Amino acid sequence: MQFRTRAATGALAALSVVALAGCGEDPQSGTGTDGGSSFGAVIKGLDNPFFQQMEQGIDAQAQDSGVDIEIQAAASITDTSGQADKLDAMAQQGFDCYVVNPISGTNLVQGLARIAAEGTPVVNIDSPVEADAASKAGLEISTYIGTDNVEAGQKAGETMLEALGGSGDVALVGGISGDVTSGARLDGFTQAVQGKLNIVQTVAADWDRQIALTKATDILSANPDIKGFFAANDDMAIGIARAVANAGRAGEIPIIGVDGIEDALKAVEAGDMYATVAQYPYAIGEMGVQACQKATDGGDLPENVVAPTAVVTKDNAGEALEAFPAPFEEFENPLE
Amino acid sequence: MATTQAAPAATPSADDSRRKLSELPWPELASTLGLIALAVIFAIANPGYLSEGNVSAILQAAAILIVLTIGQTFVVATGGIDLSVASTMTLGAIVLGEFYALGWNIWLAALAGLVAATLVGVVNGLVISKGGITDFIVTLGTLSAASGLALIIADGKKTTVIEPSLIKLSVNGIWLFSWAVIIALGLAVIAHVVLFHTRFGVHVLAIGGSAESSRSLGIRVWMVKTGVYVISAALAGVAALLVVARVGAAEPAANTAFLLNSVAAVVLGGVSLFGGRATIAAPVMGAILLTALVNGLTRVGLSEFYQPLTVGVVVVLAAFLTRFNR
């Protein structure tokens, strides 16, 4: 009797695995027997809208061009080893090309090196694989597609110059201190405003809305003459906007962010933020698939492809929201 | 690796064999049977699942979890639990990374990481056994403290560790087994010998059975208790080396899923959470099962949103197998 219960439990366990596995898409043949190519994509965690849009872009482009795509994402933004496990599992299925957005510069290097060694193209999107690590592992990336963060910072700087009429005190709010992306955006901004605007303070707010609110409140009380804020991402810019509103100076102090998340586009439309430099994870995803197609068709790929960015102000915020998450203006695409 | 519970030989009488079946150590067999069932199901759903390349990839991905699971098994065998394994591993990795960045030889740096991790175990063990505070609370505290220390030492930043000998550790090996896997399985063999063929191992299981009667038998309970937490932490130090080799960097805030998975593997391995009953082979199989499950779900294209749910269902169902055992 007791054994029967156990057997039933075991059968139940087996069944539930089958049932849950059945929720997935059809198993990948991976070998392209149906004539079309099949690509594999490994991206970061889908708990972030940025990567959800990237997934949408990858899916849309794959459907558009009639290729099979299998997309896997990491469990979270810190799941470096789990993402490597997922890539390894997919690497064994022999896709014709791989699109990857690694969590860190090194976590996928080993798996990618093995894929590339077999002559399969690897397209790196968004977060770059560390060049030093790649060369030590003998990994050659077919192409890299991502936002030029220095350029994004420059665009923000130029927009700030316009907003302030060419002079004034500004404060910069960066992400986690020492972060490469944050550093590049702040550098770009600084280059653009050099000799014109006076940067009185640079703080790190860890990409976090709440921390940015606190730090901006402190900056505002210490420097009442502040004329503008630049934040390295939109979440922090929204936090700063709240701090400015709390200080009773809403609309007086221009705030510029980077990313172009939906909340920020709405804040720009409402006048809480002056502008955002939008980047397009959706377009980056699309371009990743396009690059894979080009590579499998035997075409030449540029080593680097700069993904589009666009300045969104009150004038075009409505347009940007309507097209969201796709870019609202045409951009030059060397992969098309 | 053989467990001490060998399956009884088959007998001709049907009635007899049914009785023998009920005497089989089901909790210990659950993870192995589960793994076989899983392999069959996924091999049908996804040809190539059992290919050499994929089996090798599964083992490679399981190596870190296997090492952590062995340590967790020792602790659970005494009726305790070590919630700090994953953050102890992170601390070990960060210390390794810092010394490597100073220009130390990679193996010396790994040793420093091992020592740092082991110290966490000494603290855990002494506070629990001498301080008389519940293991759950103490290791919950060190979970937070060790990851906090890692953040402080690393200043929140990761250190890139790209070293050819480390890459070889997870790429080269013998047939299906990379060196990392061989290290993990070697540690499992050693742990099996320690648990079943040394006085310390006997004491571990005795304390898990009943700490009070162990004490009256003259076993120095505090030493054994401290010992298991030191073993768990030292193995976390070994896992630190493996994780750095795998992801090519020492990261202060990463890979928190290992804690739950190590406990899940121990449960899958039929180890009683009340202590006193444990094997090494079954939890190791449990660790491989969890990894093989996620690998298979990835291959059939199941969205990552469903994966944690599936893993949870499998763990709870496995716990039922233990429950129905006398």
Side-chain angles (χ1 to χ4, degrees):
Chain A
M1 188 56 214
Q2 220 173 21
F3 170 61
R4 227 171 275 154
T5 328
R6 273 180 228 130
T9 320
L12 197 64
L15 274 176
S16 69
V17 171
V18 178
L20 280 163
C23 300
E25 294 150 32
D26 284 340
Q28 271 290 348
S29 67
T31 46
T33 43
D34 50 348
S37 315
S38 65
F39 302 155
V42 180
I43 57 178
K44 296 190 197 176
L46 293 180
D47 48 355
N48 179 330
F50 192 88
F51 304 117
Q52 288 169 2
Q53 290 158 27
M54 188 178 283
E55 188 198 28
Q56 287 165 16
I58 293 173
D59 246 345
Q61 182 62 42
Q63 243 171 30
D64 227 33
S65 39
V67 294
D68 280 336
I69 188 95
E70 154 101 30
I71 307 173
Q72 284 287 329
S76 73
I77 200 70
T78 59
D79 185 28
T80 48
S81 63
Q83 198 191 27
D85 295 348
K86 290 205 159 125
L87 177 72
D88 283 359
M90 288 178 74
Q92 294 301 327
Q93 290 172 277
F95 289 100
D96 301 316
C97 176
Y98 291 82
V99 180
V100 293
N101 182 10
I103 292 177
S104 78
T106 53
N107 74 317
L108 298 184
V109 166
Q110 281 173 17
L112 291 177
R114 255 170 289 174
I115 291 170
E118 288 165 10
T120 309
V122 172
V123 173
N124 181 196
I125 57 174
D126 189 34
S127 297
V129 169
E130 227 167 81
D132 193 30
S135 76
K136 276 192 183 142
L139 162 66
E140 209 168 307
I141 300 282
S142 306
T143 187
Y144 168 74
I145 304 163
T147 301
D148 181 342
N149 286 303
V150 175
E151 190 192 65
Q154 283 168 343
K155 285 186 179 173
E158 284 153 17
T159 311
M160 184 66 86
L161 279 173
E162 276 169 34
L164 299 183
S167 66
D169 289 352
V170 293
L172 272 47
V173 179
I176 293 164
S177 76
D179 183 87
V180 181
T181 306
S182 171
R185 290 177 185 173
L186 298 185
D187 281 352
F189 184 92
T190 310
Q191 283 168 25
V193 304
Q194 198 100 56
K196 293 163 198 153
L197 301 185
N198 181 24
I199 297 169
V200 289
Q201 205 167 0
T202 302
V203 296
D206 302 356
W207 304 117
D208 185 283
R209 194 178 291 199
Q210 149 71 21
I211 298 174
L213 196 167
T214 310
K215 298 222 163 159
T217 307
D218 297 347
I219 293 172
L220 279 169
S221 66
N223 298 294
D225 288 340
I226 286 281
K227 293 285 185 296
F229 278 100
F230 170 60
N233 81 350
D234 278 342
D235 255 334
M236 296 190 294
I238 292 168
I240 297 166
R242 177 66 62 79
V244 169
N246 289 348
R249 300 174 66 184
E252 289 171 32
I253 299 179
I255 300 153
I256 300 177
V258 181
D259 276 352
I261 64 171
E262 210 169 358
D263 280 358
L265 296 180
K266 284 180 185 154
V268 170
E269 196 179 36
D272 298 331
M273 274 171 63
Y274 183 80
T276 178
V277 181
Q279 48 170 344
Y280 295 100
Y282 185 90
I284 294 174
E286 283 182 324
M287 291 163 86
V289 176
Q290 288 167 352
C292 260
Q293 270 185 289
K294 215 167 176 183
T296 48
D297 291 347
D300 278 339
L301 287 174
E303 198 177 320
N304 273 300
V305 179
V306 177
T309 54
V311 177
V312 179
T313 59
K314 201 163 188 168
D315 298 338
N316 53 9
E319 214 182 320
L321 270 170
E322 209 169 295
F324 189 84
F328 67 95
E329 53 181 32
E330 289 290 312
F331 62 94
E332 199 186 322
N333 184 353
L335 297 168
E336 261 181 342
Chain B
M1 267 175 312
T3 63
T4 47
Q5 283 94 351
T11 46
S13 149
D15 195 47
D16 208 28
S17 74
R18 166 159 292 193
R19 197 169 54 77
K20 285 275 159 56
L21 269 176
S22 65
E23 281 167 12
L24 279 176
W26 287 104
E28 280 81 6
L29 283 175
S31 55
T32 310
L33 293 178
L35 186 59
I36 293 170
L38 210 67
V40 171
I41 292 166
F42 279 125
I44 294 168
N46 185 278
Y49 180 74
L50 292 179
S51 68
E52 271 191 25
N54 197 50
V55 171
S56 172
I58 291 173
L59 291 172
Q60 171 64 31
I64 298 164
L65 185 57
I66 290 174
V67 173
L68 292 177
T69 299
I70 297 167
Q72 190 71 269
T73 302
F74 273 95
V75 175
V76 174
T78 65
I81 192 159
D82 188 352
L83 299 178
S84 67
V85 276
S87 41
T88 302
M89 173 179 79
T90 300
L91 178 64
I94 288 301
V95 170
L96 183 162
E98 289 299 311
F99 280 107
Y100 179 75
L102 287 178
W104 281 35
N105 172 289
I106 182 69
W107 304 109
L108 279 177
L111 193 64
L114 181 66
V115 170
T118 308
L119 285 176
V120 176
V122 173
V123 172
N124 274 340
L126 289 178
V127 174
I128 289 166
S129 60
K130 286 286 185 187
I133 304 173
T134 318
D135 40 40
F136 189 88
I137 301 300
V138 174
T139 56
L140 191 63
T142 41
L143 177 157
S144 186
S147 57
L149 261 180
L151 279 167
I152 293 167
I153 294 171
D155 194 19
K157 283 174 242 168
K158 73 180 180 101
T159 313
T160 301
V161 181
I162 295 291
E163 177 76 26
S165 52
L166 268 197
I167 293 175
K168 281 189 196 125
L169 193 68
S170 40
V171 174
N172 295 11
I174 303 168
W175 190 41
L176 292 177
F177 310 97
S178 71
W179 292 119
V181 176
I182 292 169
I183 290 174
L185 295 181
L187 286 169
V189 172
I190 295 169
H192 178 84
V193 171
V194 169
L195 190 58
F196 292 111
H197 300 285
T198 65
R199 186 184 293 177
F200 174 77
V202 172
H203 290 177
V204 165
L205 292 170
I207 288 171
S210 167
E212 274 318 305
S213 39
S214 304
R215 202 167 279 124
S216 61
L217 284 171
I219 297 175
R220 271 178 294 183
V221 173
W222 76 269
M223 280 185 71
V224 178
K225 277 236 161 204
T226 307
V228 293
Y229 285 97
V230 169
I231 288 174
S232 176
L235 287 171
V238 176
L241 175 67
L242 299 184
V243 82
V244 170
R246 179 130 178 92
V247 301
E251 302 157 319
N255 302 310
T256 44
F258 281 112
L259 163 61
L260 285 179
N261 282 340
S262 76
V263 177
V266 168
V267 171
L268 281 172
V271 177
S272 165
L273 287 174
F274 302 108
R277 177 176 184 144
T279 62
I280 297 296
V284 166
M285 282 296 178
I288 298 174
L289 187 153
L290 283 173
T291 316
L293 179 60
V294 173
N295 175 288
L297 294 174
T298 303
R299 288 180 66 101
V300 299
L302 188 69
S303 148
E304 64 292 341
F305 292 155
Y306 290 94
Q307 295 188 1
L309 172 66
T310 317
V311 171
V313 169
V314 168
V315 169
V316 172
L317 286 176
F320 263 108
L321 285 176
T322 319
R323 163 77 180 75
F324 283 114
N325 195 68
R326 283 161 302 222

